[in-house]
Amino acid sequence: MKKNLTYSLLIWGMCCGMVMAQETGYELSRSKAPIPENVRMNVAQRYELLHQDVDKKGKKRKIREQSQFIMKSATFVDNLLKSGKVLYNEPMSRYINQIMDHLLKEDPALRAKLHVYISRDVAYNAFATDQGVLLVNVGLLARAKSEAEIAFILCHEIEHYKKKHGIERVKTASETIAGIGSSREKVLQIHAYNRSQEEEADKGGLVLFLKSGYSLDGIRQGYDNMAITHLHFENIPFSDIMLEQGTLNLPDSYMLEQVRTIRTYEETDDEMSTHPNTATRRKYMAETLTAADSLVKRQDHLLGIEAFQQAQSMARMEMADLYMQAGYYDFAFYTAYVLGLTQGEDPYLQRIKTYSLYTIAMHASMDSVRRVVANYKKIQGEPQRATFFFQKMSPKELCVLALRENYLYWMQSRDSLYLRTSKHLMKALGGNEEVAFSSFAKDMPKEMPEATAETVIKYGLTDLIALDDFEQMYVQQTAEYNKYKKPGNWKSLSAKEQKNWYTERDKQERKAFLATIKEVKRVVFINPRVTITDNRQASGVDMKASAEMTQKAEEHLKKYVATQGYTAEILSLNDLEADDIQALEDYRTLMDYLKEYSQQKLILEPSQKKLLDEFQRKYNTRYIGFYYHDHNVFHVGPGALIVGWVFTLPYTWGLMTPWFAYHFFAPTGSFDTNMLIYDLETGKKVNNFSLSGKGHSFRNKIPASIAKQVSVFDPK
């Protein structure tokens, strides 16, 4: 049986925590002003920039197809750069740009065309577009073994840009993306280079890399990491001893004895793949290198190992939050666990572990733990132990464990978020009812029994129950359940009587909710968008009309929302100034919030509650809205109309002449519009209205559709 921490040690730890509460710990990276010029560009400018490389002398149909794909690509890149997923001018971005400056110090013209940013993504990857945007994932920086490895990856991506591989993909787009699904998938497929392009980028990038003075070990390290991109950046054994505090003792059977053997991508067959595997790439790179290359004096860290370690430390801290945002709460917990061992405990890491446990426990109580915890049988390496541990525990055991961590973190931080999460856990622990102290043992037996699921639940909170702060928190958070507590004779009530009780309870809860929103009469619409597609345009989009009608839509939103007694504000990312960085950060906060809820599929407390509260105070609202309007305008060619009229004339005696005349001058069309309004306090939609129909006059349809959608906006 494993040895528990003593009660006095627990109290000492909490006292230390109170001292730590004065320190905020690590803070997530945020973009800094000024916003780079190429980020502030709009879709039309991006389109014109990329469209210059299209062969204007080719077939008209081919030019049209290429133009339409360039428009989709420009829209995709514009949305990505303004999505909050990309970081600008913060330490990690500055570090990567310093490496890029060194690599291209002899080619300033090329350096000026390339814009390197950090992407908030856990994957080991970098991505270059033909607009000169090069994104380096946080996951790459977190896993890299040296600065030389990062430099090698950057050289590879620079070569993709120099060789215009993306443009080549666009020129053959109609052949390469047949059968692919959405527009986003098509854009991604355009930038998914083939075997010959990857080999060309490897060999061309190697030439630049050899000139840089970086160690050849960077090449090997890069391919080593490519072979294990599916693994965590650390492989440190996970142990539940750190969780065994006070009177909590966990069964030994919850720890996996042997983890699954690691299998690398290098071992996979690439004969039918569009990309060569790492073994193939190592082989032809080794054939390219000469003996003289290895004799040149080279270094792993030209900027200094301290700069690398600092940037990587930040990236790894970011990974814990990114795993959580992606819905991988078991990996988020494991990441915070290993970082606590390797980099030292930090209030930020404790928050990640606490919130991850809370989310896992809540999903387990709803029989949906597989939504936030991976199948341990598919995980390789030491993280498999953590995943196995969470799947082995029962929902009530997880609630006990999470409640302990919530309380201890609340003692450290006094963050009110963890009072609310404790409320959820207490409710889940009691089977969605009030939890009584009598449910847990107040005193420990003289001889501690063998750890089982039952002892975890019975004694897991015994030491905390004796503390006044815990009782105060408990009473404060469970008092409200007494208002809606089921009567003692619940089981003897008829089905109709039970239904009436639930109905009355819901009315009371709704009444309490409405009392909190009476003073809030403001909606912030996030980046409204109107897109007018027109078959007469080579790109397929009437960019001038789209920009004009987006501005009109913003005016109509303010006008019609006012008819409901609300005021509307527009948070637009269409015309950003260099110092508008806060608008991007506000948008990031909202997107992280909505993504978190969509991943969880449960209305839980948001992990970034403080940032969300700051947003509400700044804009004086609890409502955010999204408005999208897509209008398709189709012009029938005059030749087709004339042929059709001549063909039908003998059979219709000229009765179809007015129809053909109308369509000769007026196009056909259809529209699809959607408005979503969320309540940030509850995470619920208070308005979700879609409207579609036919009609070519988008100038009339937009104000009419907005008026109809806003008319149903009434939270009450």
Side-chain angles (χ1 to χ4, degrees):
M1 183 182 300
K2 292 171 284 196
K3 186 178 180 179
N4 287 322
L5 296 176
T6 64
Y7 177 75
S8 59
L9 183 59
L10 171 67
I11 299 299
W12 175 82
M14 289 189 293
C15 291
C16 290
M18 294 298 291
V19 176
M20 288 175 60
Q22 300 174 5
E23 302 177 3
T24 57
Y26 179 78
E27 295 185 2
L28 291 172
S29 291
R30 317 293 295 189
S31 294
K32 307 294 182 184
I35 301 175
E37 184 178 358
N38 77 311
V39 176
R40 290 182 275 128
M41 294 171 63
N42 58 39
V43 174
Q45 292 169 325
R46 298 182 196 283
Y47 172 81
E48 293 299 331
L49 184 66
L50 199 58
H51 195 257
Q52 298 172 3
D53 293 316
V54 173
D55 183 6
K56 308 298 191 301
K57 298 180 180 180
K59 292 183 179 179
K60 187 175 181 179
R61 179 181 176 184
K62 196 73 173 178
I63 294 174
R64 187 178 189 83
E65 289 175 347
Q66 294 171 23
S67 299
Q68 290 175 359
F69 282 116
I70 289 173
M71 172 56 69
K72 291 182 173 67
S73 178
T75 303
F76 170 74
V77 172
D78 189 74
N79 290 338
L80 178 62
L81 291 178
K82 298 173 182 176
S83 66
K85 297 178 182 178
V86 181
L87 297 173
Y88 314 107
N89 300 323
E90 44 71 56
M92 290 183 291
S93 296
R94 290 197 294 268
Y95 175 69
I96 296 296
N97 273 280
Q98 286 176 333
I99 299 175
M100 183 67 82
D101 290 341
H102 174 76
L103 292 173
L104 296 178
K105 62 184 179 182
E106 296 180 2
D107 194 345
L110 177 60
R111 179 66 184 96
K113 296 178 182 178
L114 289 168
H115 311 279
V116 189
Y117 308 119
I118 291 290
S119 175
R120 297 170 60 227
D121 194 302
V122 299
Y124 180 90
N125 198 14
F127 179 77
T129 75
D130 290 289
Q131 298 170 41
V133 175
L134 201 161
L135 299 178
V136 177
N137 286 354
V138 170
L140 188 149
L141 186 52
R143 289 177 172 86
K145 298 296 187 294
S146 68
E147 182 184 314
E149 179 183 344
I150 299 172
F152 173 64
I153 301 298
L154 290 177
C155 289
H156 177 93
E157 297 302 326
I158 291 170
E159 195 66 16
H160 276 310
Y161 174 78
K162 286 173 61 178
K163 297 296 184 181
K164 298 188 180 296
H165 286 160
I167 292 295
E168 291 181 12
R169 297 287 286 170
V170 171
K171 289 179 178 179
T172 58
S174 58
E175 290 83 7
T176 59
I177 66 170
I180 301 299
S182 66
S183 297
R184 181 177 183 277
E185 289 172 329
K186 291 177 180 180
V187 172
L188 291 173
Q189 183 68 9
I190 289 174
H191 291 96
Y193 307 115
N194 58 37
R195 289 178 72 100
S196 62
Q197 289 173 332
E198 287 295 334
E199 183 173 346
E200 187 176 18
D202 273 343
K203 293 180 178 179
L206 178 61
V207 175
L208 177 61
F209 182 78
L210 292 175
K211 294 178 181 179
S212 68
Y214 279 112
S215 170
L216 298 182
D217 287 340
I219 302 173
R220 175 186 55 78
Q221 292 165 348
Y223 288 137
D224 285 347
N225 264 320
M226 289 180 198
I228 55 172
T229 55
H230 56 297
L231 300 180
H232 195 272
F233 61 79
E234 288 283 15
N235 197 39
I236 295 175
F238 172 77
S239 173
D240 60 359
I241 293 178
M242 58 161 284
L243 298 170
E244 290 189 305
Q245 299 178 357
T247 56
L248 177 65
N249 193 30
L250 299 168
D252 293 334
S253 60
Y254 290 1
M255 293 306 299
L256 190 64
E257 293 183 3
Q258 186 174 357
V259 298
R260 186 180 172 200
T261 303
I262 292 176
R263 183 171 183 263
T264 68
Y265 287 145
E266 195 164 7
E267 300 165 11
T268 59
D269 182 11
D270 68 343
E271 185 175 348
M272 301 299 293
S273 174
T274 57
H275 280 54
N277 65 24
T278 53
T280 302
R281 298 172 83 167
R282 287 183 204 270
K283 182 178 179 180
Y284 63 63
M285 289 293 278
E287 293 171 351
T288 305
L289 289 169
T290 65
D293 294 325
S294 60
L295 298 177
V296 178
K297 186 177 180 180
R298 302 177 180 278
Q299 298 181 50
D300 286 330
H301 304 278
L302 294 178
L303 301 179
I305 190 170
E306 294 82 6
F308 170 76
Q309 290 173 341
Q310 183 179 4
Q312 182 170 79
S313 176
M314 291 185 64
R316 291 188 168 190
M317 295 292 266
E318 295 285 325
M319 288 285 279
D321 182 73
L322 292 177
Y323 276 129
M324 200 162 63
Q325 293 292 334
Y328 305 130
Y329 290 90
D330 49 345
F331 267 57
F333 184 92
Y334 177 77
T335 302
Y337 167 79
V338 298
L339 289 176
L341 297 177
T342 58
Q343 297 187 189
E345 285 296 342
D346 183 283
Y348 161 79
L349 296 177
Q350 184 61 35
R351 181 181 67 81
I352 295 289
K353 288 187 286 188
T354 302
Y355 190 83
S356 297
L357 279 175
Y358 156 69
T359 306
I360 292 170
M362 291 301 297
H363 275 275
S365 67
M366 298 289 185
D367 294 325
S368 59
V369 72
R370 287 297 180 88
R371 191 181 296 278
V372 294
V373 176
N375 182 350
Y376 79 92
K377 295 180 180 179
K378 296 182 179 181
I379 305 299
Q380 299 177 15
E382 290 298 333
Q384 187 182 26
R385 296 189 197 275
T387 302
F388 176 83
F389 173 76
F390 292 126
Q391 291 186 5
K392 193 72 174 176
M393 296 189 78
S394 69
K396 287 198 173 185
E397 288 177 281
L398 284 168
C399 285
V400 167
L401 182 60
L403 192 54
R404 289 189 65 91
E405 293 298 316
N406 264 257
Y407 173 69
L408 295 175
Y409 185 68
W410 175 69
M411 285 291 292
Q412 293 175 5
S413 65
R414 294 294 174 176
D415 187 340
S416 60
L417 167 64
Y418 293 94
L419 283 176
R420 294 190 293 272
T421 55
S422 295
K423 175 186 69 176
H424 295 163
L425 291 166
M426 289 173 179
K427 189 174 181 180
L429 187 58
N432 292 324
E433 294 298 329
E434 178 192 11
V435 187
F437 274 123
S438 58
S439 302
F440 313 105
K442 293 185 178 180
D443 300 303
M444 291 294 295
K446 293 181 179 180
E447 293 185 8
M448 186 65 182
E450 183 179 353
T452 63
E454 290 73 21
T455 62
V456 170
I457 297 169
K458 186 174 182 179
Y459 299 111
L461 300 174
T462 297
D463 56 323
L464 299 185
I465 290 174
L467 303 177
D468 291 339
D469 277 336
F470 184 79
E471 183 176 0
Q472 178 186 359
M473 182 186 73
Y474 171 85
V475 172
Q476 179 180 348
Q477 297 305 319
T478 58
E480 63 183 86
Y481 294 123
N482 291 326
K483 302 176 184 177
Y484 313 119
K485 186 177 180 180
K486 292 179 181 178
N489 62 337
W490 175 260
K491 293 184 179 180
S492 63
L493 297 179
S494 65
K496 184 177 181 180
E497 290 173 324
Q498 290 182 356
K499 182 179 179 181
N500 290 338
W501 183 88
Y502 279 119
T503 301
E504 182 60 28
R505 184 199 64 178
D506 292 342
K507 285 182 180 179
Q508 293 298 322
E509 290 181 341
R510 183 65 176 169
K511 184 178 179 180
F513 164 69
L514 292 177
T516 66
I517 68 170
K518 287 182 178 179
E519 298 180 0
V520 182
K521 307 287 286 184
R522 186 181 182 86
V523 184
V524 176
F525 283 94
I526 312 299
N527 213 33
R529 174 185 58 77
V530 177
T531 303
I532 311 298
T533 60
D534 190 329
N535 68 318
R536 293 177 302 179
Q537 304 292 328
S539 65
V541 177
D542 189 334
M543 289 177 282
K544 183 178 180 180
S546 297
E548 173 192 338
M549 293 314 298
T550 295
Q551 186 175 359
K552 291 289 185 183
E554 293 175 359
E555 296 172 3
H556 289 304
L557 282 170
K558 294 179 180 179
K559 173 183 175 181
Y560 287 111
V561 167
T563 64
Q564 301 298 309
Y566 287 72
T567 58
E569 182 173 342
I570 308 298
L571 175 57
S572 176
L573 305 180
N574 295 322
D575 298 301
L576 291 170
E577 299 294 335
D579 58 351
D580 287 340
I581 195 68
Q582 194 54 50
L584 282 179
E585 287 301 298
D586 290 342
Y587 187 69
R588 166 184 166 176
T589 296
L590 295 175
M591 292 301 100
D592 285 351
Y593 163 78
L594 295 175
K595 181 180 179 181
E596 192 169 45
Y597 273 150
S598 67
Q599 292 286 353
Q600 291 178 353
K601 303 298 183 184
L602 277 177
I603 304 301
L604 302 180
E605 294 290 343
S607 61
Q608 299 295 329
K609 180 63 174 172
K610 286 186 177 180
L611 290 175
L612 204 58
D613 289 344
E614 289 175 9
F615 177 90
Q616 293 182 70
R617 284 192 293 269
K618 177 179 178 180
Y619 291 93
N620 190 28
T621 185
R622 65 188 290 169
Y623 297 120
I624 58 169
F626 297 88
Y627 175 78
Y628 306 108
H629 184 105
D630 295 310
H631 206 111
N632 303 310
V633 180
F634 183 77
H635 294 262
V636 181
L641 284 172
I642 293 172
V643 170
W645 176 71
V646 172
F647 180 77
T648 59
L649 189 62
Y651 305 100
T652 60
W653 298 286
L655 295 177
M656 292 294 291
T657 300
W659 185 90
F660 281 105
Y662 171 78
H663 283 282
F664 186 86
F665 296 101
T668 59
S670 63
F671 67 91
D672 186 11
T673 182
N674 192 282
M675 181 185 291
L676 289 169
I677 298 179
Y678 288 89
D679 182 348
L680 295 177
E681 285 295 312
T682 64
K684 297 178 180 179
K685 298 175 185 175
V686 295
N687 187 81
N688 184 8
F689 192 86
S690 298
L691 189 67
S692 59
K694 296 182 178 180
H696 65 275
S697 181
F698 52 81
R699 288 175 172 79
N700 294 331
K701 293 296 179 183
I702 290 176
S705 66
I706 290 178
K708 190 168 184 179
Q709 291 175 92
V710 170
S711 67
V712 300
F713 170 54
D714 185 2
K716 301 178 182 57

